[in-house]
Amino acid sequence: MVGTQSGPASIFGVIDFCVEPAHRGRGIATDVLERLSSLGRESGIEFLMLFAHDARLYERSGFSRRENPLRWCKINEHETLGIGEEPLE
Ligand SMILES: CC(C)(COP(=O)(O)OP(=O)(O)OC[C@H]1O[C@@H](n2cnc3c(N)ncnc32)[C@H](O)[C@@H]1OP(=O)(O)O)[C@@H](O)C(=O)NCCC(=O)NCCS
């Protein structure tokens, strides 16, 4: 779950999305992203959300950029560091 300005929402999470260098540029990530999107919709989540520094792959697949004030629990190496808060582009 994530909190949004409209209230709590269920999301579908994937982390560390990557394709082995020797197999990049053949549409593998695009295909996996489509399958994950379908799986998310079948699972009844409210929206698909992703974080990326480089948006090229995702904008090609129909994702669009949003700005949102973000608040999260900061954890590093199993240590809880408190609540982080900053606007996210
Ligand atoms: C990003 C990544 C998963 C793409 O995998 P892929 O199977 O080669 O992707 P596809 O063949 O489906 O699509 C290729 C397109 O991805 C985009 N792309 C390339 N590198 C990218 C990157 N680091 N981040 C986002 N998009 C990227 C480009 O638009 C590319 O199209 P182009 O070659 O015509 O410019 C792969 O390059 C990778 O594993 N990179 C290192 C890990 C990484 O940056 N993961 C993203 C974490 S948010």
Side-chain angles (χ1 to χ4, degrees):
M1 299 294 290
V2 293
T4 72
Q5 288 170 326
S6 311
S10 57
I11 60 163
F12 187 77
V14 173
I15 194 165
D16 293 342
F17 190 40
C18 82
V19 169
E20 191 172 345
H23 301 289
R24 289 179 190 169
R26 299 182 195 169
I28 294 173
T30 301
D31 184 54
V32 171
L33 200 55
E34 282 173 15
R35 290 171 190 232
L36 287 169
S37 298
S38 297
L39 184 60
R41 278 190 286 270
E42 288 164 18
S43 306
I45 59 147
E46 289 169 272
F47 60 89
L48 293 158
M49 179 175 75
L50 57 83
F51 299 91
H53 292 294
D54 183 337
R56 285 175 296 159
L57 174 69
Y58 311 108
E59 288 180 337
R60 281 166 49 134
S61 295
F63 285 84
S64 58
R65 294 168 188 261
R66 289 290 180 269
E67 285 189 24
N68 200 36
L70 185 68
R71 192 179 302 126
W72 75 102
C73 181
K74 297 198 288 189
I75 300 172
N76 187 42
E77 300 291 338
H78 307 289
E79 185 183 358
T80 304
L81 303 173
I83 303 297
E85 192 166 359
E86 66 181 63
L88 178 78
E89 291 180 8

